Amino acid sequence: ALLLVLCYLGLLLVGYVTAGIALGAAALERWSAERAKRTGWRAVAAAVAILLIALLAWLPFVGALVAFVALLVGMGAILLQFRRELPRA
């Protein structure tokens, strides 16, 4: 049971980071599609988006909602990616 809790906490962290990566990629694509093709720019955009989510999470009243939505979006993106990769029966 302890291993399951540790896996769940790891999934939450990965979901949070995935939401930041998705937000950064979307913002960079909208801002400059040319730069969105380069890995360096995508890494910077992801880091800035994760920092922005973390800063917004510190806001009173709204911060918890922002963090919760980021976790849900990130975990949903991970689950959708796994579902695409599963072979059809």
Side-chain angles (χ1 to χ4, degrees):
L2 227 47
L3 184 62
L4 188 61
V5 170
L6 287 175
C7 288
Y8 179 69
L9 292 175
L11 180 63
L12 288 177
L13 179 63
V14 171
Y16 192 79
V17 172
T18 302
I21 291 170
L23 178 65
L28 187 61
E29 184 72 36
R30 185 163 187 165
W31 180 54
S32 174
E34 179 80 20
R35 291 182 180 163
K37 296 175 185 173
R38 297 187 180 173
T39 306
W41 279 102
R42 290 178 64 162
V44 169
V48 169
I50 291 170
L51 181 64
L52 179 68
I53 291 171
L55 289 174
L56 287 175
W58 280 90
L59 291 174
F61 306 113
V62 180
L65 181 64
V66 168
F68 182 67
V69 169
L71 286 173
L72 285 180
V73 167
M75 287 182 9
I78 291 169
L79 291 175
L80 283 175
Q81 186 65 31
F82 280 139
R83 186 174 177 170
R84 269 191 224 147
E85 292 179 3
L86 288 176
R88 300 266 182 208

